[in-house]
Amino acid sequence: MSNLRKIRLERKLSVMKLSEISGVPRRTIQDLEGGNDGRVSTMIKLADALRVTLDELCREAGG
């Protein structure tokens, strides 16, 4: 989930703050940023909190 970290940092959010606003556990966000796949429901929560589309959050560059 390389885009997750990039977008989070662009918005100047800590993992803890993103966890608070999305309702997604901090550990889950860390796992996703480390490359693990996430559930669609989790990714929707994160996309909504970051105000991006699922496509922006999940799709790899060039694909």
Side-chain angles (χ1 to χ4, degrees), residues 2-39:
S2 58
N3 290 348
L4 175 57
R5 180 174 168 80
K6 178 178 169 277
I7 294 167
R8 177 178 64 78
L9 293 175
E10 285 173 355
R11 285 161 176 65
K12 298 179 176 24
L13 294 171
S14 66
V15 171
M16 184 58 78
K17 185 63 177 177
L18 180 55
S19 174
E20 289 173 13
I21 63 175
S22 67
V24 175
R26 180 181 52 85
R27 184 71 221 167
T28 300
I29 294 170
Q30 291 170 330
D31 288 345
L32 292 169
E33 287 187 355
N36 292 339
D37 289 332
R39 299 175 71 180

Side-chain angles (χ1 to χ4, degrees), residues 37-47 54 58:
D37 289 332
R39 299 175 71 180
V40 172
S41 59
T42 300
M43 301 313 295
I44 290 171
K45 289 178 185 178
L46 291 168
L54 277 176
C58 299

